């Protein structure tokens, strides 16, 4: 099979980043591509060999294998491969072979490097490192969709001013939008009613359409905060409707702007620290989804967003502990409340249950245990009220198994390490993520270091933990490089938790175990592993970049769901991503799978 000039042009024009090139640049690039037909089962290159250039699949299928000869990806038409090796002195870091008769377009290394150097779209597409983001959200530059209220109060043009006023009173708002169907016709405010109806002595059954501001100024969701501020200041108005295609989708008020500026994790922490009950705290934690939207919209990195959200859970836990002691009296012996799971790792998102336990001083008596049973139930019930739902596996301090003296906890850890059964692996994985939240931290410090030393020296236990870490695999498959869920409620989506971040979390835990690293946060573990040589510099950079991309994609997905009025989850449809986003996400999954393979073969490096 051969490609004429017109066919090659049509093909490249439908593949990113070539579709972003201007016609002259694409015309100049096309002669550099060399068609290469290969039969099924042929090696394209082997790991360690010099690369001819960048490979772009025109037709057929190619499998890519890592240095341990483990398949990490199957690629189809429009997929590229080989760019990672070109960035490393032109030496292949993987192996590739055809699975069926395949037509490749080979872009020589010199042409590839020239393309990346001269075309910003290509540089961005083939650069797998993270783009720095601003450190904090800013009102003036935040998208209007992160500022607006999504369910503005509405009424029909024929509604009376009394009906409109009553509706505003019931909703505790100061404006009402007048609509026909979904189209915005006008807006009326409390000031309109007081100034035009009351002061003008109009009857209360006057149609709202007679006093409304018809065809009011409106903004699109893609506008930014400064657009709202400037409009309000210039026009001396306090309410700006938000429309899209003529349809009313929200409204921004001066109250919304004030709330945005006050909506910080510090403000929520402050309110929770003063709360008098779990119900009061729940009113504050109910604002966490909007905080997530604001933090993500403001360009914060994923580890900052999850840390700030986890801080709120920590504060709620400590406040509940204080309220419990106020209700039941001072604790009879020292204790320590610890979190595990995502709270323990400081990686909570918009979807979180609770995982916790209680360590008690060895001086605790049977009578004292009744006090701690009451305290644990009070705190776990309170967390559930706040939206941190009960752990489905009952891994909570309210379960007597996870509310024990330090000596019993020591026995637990020694048993899990000494006899690594499947349950022991699971429990050890969870408990290696423990982080003190409230109480006497010294109860855990010695135990943590002791357990890390014991576990790292037990080669059988380490092998079992490595095996356990390979149970969650990145979703790489045939269709555009992804293996989506095949059936059920989340059919045709990717699970960005269990097949996205969890594989990296598991790797980080293994590295921490191998290096006796006390860090609990996943990114901190990866950085520490890289710094101590447990993970190679190359492998560390790749894995950090891959983790950042996957974790940020997950947060952006949740933020988009919240903005759309849906409950956030971890299930992303690849079809919602652009070619650019799909390509980079696939590459991130390939990196994770490669590091899993390296760990499985007793290596700590990629490439």
């Amino acid at each position: 099979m051969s490609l004429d000039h017109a066919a090659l042009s049509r093909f490249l024009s439908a593949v990113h980043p070539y579709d972003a090139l201007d016609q002259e640049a694409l015309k100049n690039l096309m002669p550099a591509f060399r068609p290469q037909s290969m039969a099924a089962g042929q090696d394209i290159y082997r790991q360690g060999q010099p690369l001819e250039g960048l490979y772009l699949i025109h037709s057929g299928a190619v499998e890519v294998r890592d240095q341990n000869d483990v398949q990490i990806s199957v690629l189809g038409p429009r997929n590229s491969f080989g760019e990672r090796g070109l960035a490393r002195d032109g030496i292949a870091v993987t192996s590739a072979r055809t699975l069926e008769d395949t037509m490749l377009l080979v872009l020589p290394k010199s042409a590839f490097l020239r393309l990346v150097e001269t075309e910003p779209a290509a540089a961005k597409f083939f650069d797998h490192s993270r783009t720095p983001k601003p450190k904090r959200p800013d009102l003036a530059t935040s998208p209007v969709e992160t500022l607006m209220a999504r369910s503005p109060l509405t009424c029909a043009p024929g509604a009376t001013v009394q009906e409109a006023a009553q509706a505003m009173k019931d909703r505790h708002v100061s404006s009402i939008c007048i609509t026909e169907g979904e189209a915005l016709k006008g807006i009326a405010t409390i000031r309109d009613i007081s100034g035009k109806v009351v002061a003008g002595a109009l009857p209360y059954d006057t149609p709202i359409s007679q006093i409304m501001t018809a065809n009011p100024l409106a903004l699109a969701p893609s506008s930014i905060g400064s657009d709202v501020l400037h409009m309000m200041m210039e026009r001396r108005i306090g309410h700006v409707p938000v429309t899209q295609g003529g349809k009313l989708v929200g409204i921004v008020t001066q109250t919304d702007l004030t709330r945005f500026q006050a909506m910080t994790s510090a403000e929520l922490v402050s309110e929770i620290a003063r709360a008098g009950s779990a119900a009061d705290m729940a009113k504050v934690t109910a604002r966490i989804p909007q905080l997530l939207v604001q933090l993500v919209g403001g360009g914060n990195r994923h580890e900052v967003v999850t840390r700030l959200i986890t801080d709120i859970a920590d504060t709620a836990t400590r406040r509940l502990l204080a309220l419990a002691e106020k209700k039941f009296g001072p604790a009879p012996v020292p204790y320590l409340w610890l979190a595990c799971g995502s709270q323990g790792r400081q990686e909570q998102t918009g979807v979180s249950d609770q995982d916790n336990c209680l360590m008690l001083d060895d001086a605790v008596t049977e009578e004292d245990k009744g006090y701690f049973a009451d305290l644990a139930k009070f705190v776990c019930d309170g967390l559930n009220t706040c939206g941190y739902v009960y752990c489905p596996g009952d891994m909570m301090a309210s379960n007597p198994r996870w509310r024990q003296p330090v000596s019993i906890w020591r026995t637990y850890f020694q048993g899990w390490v000494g006899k690594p059964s499947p349950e022991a692996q699971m429990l050890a994985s969870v408990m290696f993520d423990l982080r003190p939240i409230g109480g006497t931290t010294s109860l855990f410090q010695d135990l943590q270091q002791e357990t890390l030393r014991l576990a790292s020296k037990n080669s059988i236990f380490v092998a079992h933990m490595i095996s356990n870490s390979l149970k969650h695999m990145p979703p790489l498959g045939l269709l555009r490089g992804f293996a989506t869920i095949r059936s059920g409620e989340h059919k045709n989506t990717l699970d960005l938790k269990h097949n996205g971040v969890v594989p990296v979390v598991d790797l980080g835990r293994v590295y921490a175990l191998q290096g006796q690293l006390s860090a609990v946060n996943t990114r901190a573990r990866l950085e520490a592993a890289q710094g101590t040589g447990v993970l190679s510099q190359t492998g560390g950079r790749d894995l950090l970049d891959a983790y950042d991309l996957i974790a940020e994609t997950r947060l952006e997905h949740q933020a988009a769901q919240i903005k759309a009025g849906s409950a956030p989850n971890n299930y992303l449809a690849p079809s919602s991503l652009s070619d650019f986003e799909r390509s980079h996400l696939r590459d991130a999954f390939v990196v994770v799978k490669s590091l899993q393979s390296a760990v499985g073969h007793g290596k700590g490096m990629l490439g």
Side-chain angles (χ1 to χ4, degrees):
M1 177 181 177
S2 61
L3 287 176
D4 59 26
H5 184 279
L8 179 59
S9 176
R10 286 195 300 271
F11 178 73
L12 292 177
S13 297
V15 179
H16 198 70
Y18 314 105
D19 60 347
L21 305 184
D22 61 42
Q23 289 187 352
E24 187 65 22
L26 182 61
K27 179 182 177 181
N28 292 334
L29 177 68
M30 284 172 52
F33 279 100
R34 175 174 57 81
Q36 180 176 334
S37 296
M38 302 188 71
Q42 278 190 278
D43 284 337
I44 301 170
Y45 58 76
R46 302 293 295 176
Q47 192 239 337
Q49 293 178 347
L51 285 169
E52 293 184 51
L54 177 76
Y55 296 87
L56 173 62
I57 303 174
H58 179 272
S59 60
V62 172
E63 70 166 353
V64 178
R65 291 181 170 268
D66 67 10
Q67 69 270 34
N68 300 305
D69 202 33
V70 174
Q71 185 190 86
I72 56 176
S73 189
V74 175
L75 308 178
R78 299 171 67 202
N79 287 165
S80 299
F81 59 98
E83 68 269 22
R84 193 175 295 278
L86 290 176
R88 298 182 188 170
D89 302 321
I91 301 300
V93 296
T94 57
S95 300
R97 68 182 307 172
T98 57
L99 291 178
E100 57 187 62
D101 291 349
T102 299
M103 165 71 81
L104 297 174
L105 297 175
V106 184
L107 184 64
K109 178 181 177 181
S110 59
F112 170 75
L113 294 178
R114 187 165 56 251
L115 173 68
V116 172
E117 289 171 359
T118 59
E119 295 294 338
K124 182 180 178 183
F125 184 79
F126 292 113
D127 179 9
H128 297 270
S129 62
R130 296 191 314 161
T131 301
K133 293 185 175 182
K135 294 183 178 179
R136 56 178 297 175
D138 177 73
L139 175 61
T141 58
S142 293
V144 163
E145 62 183 357
T146 68
L147 306 173
M148 69 185 190
R150 294 187 169 274
S151 301
L153 181 64
T154 63
C155 70
T160 66
V161 292
Q162 183 176 34
E163 291 170 338
Q166 184 64 51
M168 284 189 274
K169 177 177 179 292
D170 292 343
R171 282 275 295 269
H172 304 287
V173 296
S174 57
S175 65
I176 189 167
C177 292
I178 294 83
T179 57
E180 283 185 347
E182 296 180 333
L184 176 67
K185 296 299 180 182
I187 187 172
T189 67
I190 291 293
R191 180 177 294 181
D192 291 325
I193 292 176
S194 63
K196 298 177 182 178
V197 179
V198 179
L202 294 178
Y204 292 165
D205 61 357
T206 299
I208 193 70
S209 58
Q210 290 189 19
I211 69 158
M212 72 180 186
T213 299
N215 302 313
L217 294 169
L219 291 172
S222 58
S223 303
I224 58 176
S226 60
D227 296 328
V228 178
L229 290 168
H230 295 166
M231 183 178 288
M232 286 183 172
M233 291 177 183
E234 180 182 357
R235 308 287 181 167
R236 297 184 180 181
I237 57 177
H239 305 78
V240 178
V242 182
T243 60
Q244 190 164 37
K247 174 184 175 182
L248 178 68
V249 295
I251 189 168
V252 182
T253 69
Q254 290 178 334
T255 301
D256 295 320
L257 301 184
T258 301
R259 185 182 297 116
F260 179 92
Q261 290 176 305
M263 174 79 85
T264 64
S265 59
E267 181 67 21
L268 270 60
V269 163
S270 176
E271 291 184 38
I272 289 174
R274 300 192 304 268
S277 67
D280 291 339
M281 281 184 262
K283 296 176 184 176
V284 183
T285 56
R287 287 149 51 194
I288 289 177
Q290 189 56 42
L291 174 66
L292 184 146
V293 169
Q294 180 175 312
L295 291 172
V296 173
N300 290 276
R301 289 156 55 128
H302 70 93
E303 66 267 29
V304 174
V305 177
T306 55
R307 172 65 180 269
L308 295 177
I309 289 176
T310 304
D311 284 348
I312 297 170
D314 291 354
T315 304
T317 304
R318 285 189 287 268
R319 183 56 182 158
L320 288 167
L321 287 169
L323 292 174
E325 290 192 24
K326 183 178 180 180
K327 179 176 181 179
F328 302 118
V333 298
Y335 71 88
L336 178 62
W337 187 281
L338 302 100
C340 45
S342 60
Q343 184 183 359
R345 297 189 305 274
Q346 296 179 300
E347 294 167 3
Q348 287 190 314
T349 66
V351 186
S352 297
D353 57 7
Q354 56 173 293
D355 298 281
N356 45 61
C357 65
L358 198 55
M359 290 185 178
L360 311 175
D361 189 277
D362 283 334
V364 67
T365 65
E366 288 301 317
E367 183 178 352
D368 295 337
K369 290 181 179 179
Y371 169 92
F372 289 110
D374 292 339
L375 177 140
K377 184 177 187 306
F378 181 91
V379 176
C380 289
D381 288 349
L383 289 172
N384 184 69
T385 298
C386 291
Y388 305 103
V389 298
Y390 297 122
C391 173
D394 202 21
M395 191 164 285
M396 300 179 292
S398 53
N399 181 342
R401 186 181 185 187
W402 310 124
R403 187 179 66 246
Q404 295 290 341
V406 173
S407 59
I408 299 298
W409 278 102
R410 180 171 282 106
T411 301
Y412 282 169
F413 279 107
Q414 290 174 349
W416 296 334
V417 172
K419 297 180 180 179
S421 66
E423 183 192 36
Q425 295 171 40
M426 183 274 293
L427 294 175
S429 295
V430 173
M431 293 304 174
F432 273 124
D433 293 347
L434 283 175
R435 182 173 59 89
I437 303 297
T440 306
T441 57
S442 60
L443 293 176
F444 178 62
Q445 289 172 344
D446 292 343
L447 180 60
Q448 181 188 36
Q449 292 303 320
E450 176 186 321
T451 303
L452 279 172
R453 285 194 299 270
L454 180 68
S456 64
K457 293 178 181 178
N458 187 322
S459 59
I460 296 177
F461 177 77
V462 173
H464 278 279
M465 288 294 287
I466 290 174
S467 176
N468 190 61
S469 73
L470 303 180
K471 290 181 178 178
H472 295 100
M473 301 297 290
L476 291 166
L478 290 170
L479 182 61
R480 300 287 299 163
F482 292 124
T484 58
I485 297 172
R486 294 186 176 183
S487 61
E489 179 184 0
H490 304 296
K491 183 179 179 181
N492 297 328
T493 65
L494 305 174
D495 185 341
L496 291 179
K497 178 181 178 181
H498 292 101
N499 301 114
V501 297
V502 167
V504 186
V505 169
D506 290 341
L507 285 172
R509 193 181 295 115
V510 169
Y511 297 141
L513 176 61
Q514 291 175 327
Q516 298 185 40
L517 309 173
S518 59
V520 176
N521 175 266
T522 297
R523 202 172 199 283
R525 280 173 166 168
L526 299 181
E527 291 173 339
Q530 185 182 26
T532 57
V534 174
L535 179 62
S536 72
Q537 291 297 312
T538 300
R541 286 194 303 269
D542 286 341
L543 187 55
L544 283 166
D545 283 345
Y547 177 52
D548 290 338
L549 179 61
I550 295 166
E552 287 177 1
T553 300
R554 180 191 184 199
L555 281 181
E556 289 164 0
H557 166 65
Q558 292 187 3
Q561 290 180 305
I562 295 167
K563 287 190 290 186
S566 303
N569 62 33
N570 296 298
Y571 300 99
L572 172 72
S575 59
S576 68
L577 301 174
S578 67
D579 277 358
F580 174 83
E581 292 167 327
R582 281 195 297 270
S583 176
H584 279 255
L585 186 59
R586 185 200 72 221
D587 288 341
F589 290 144
V590 167
V591 168
V592 176
K593 188 170 182 179
S594 297
L595 265 295
Q596 286 182 320
S597 175
V599 166
H601 286 78
K603 302 175 183 178
M605 62 187 349
L606 173 70

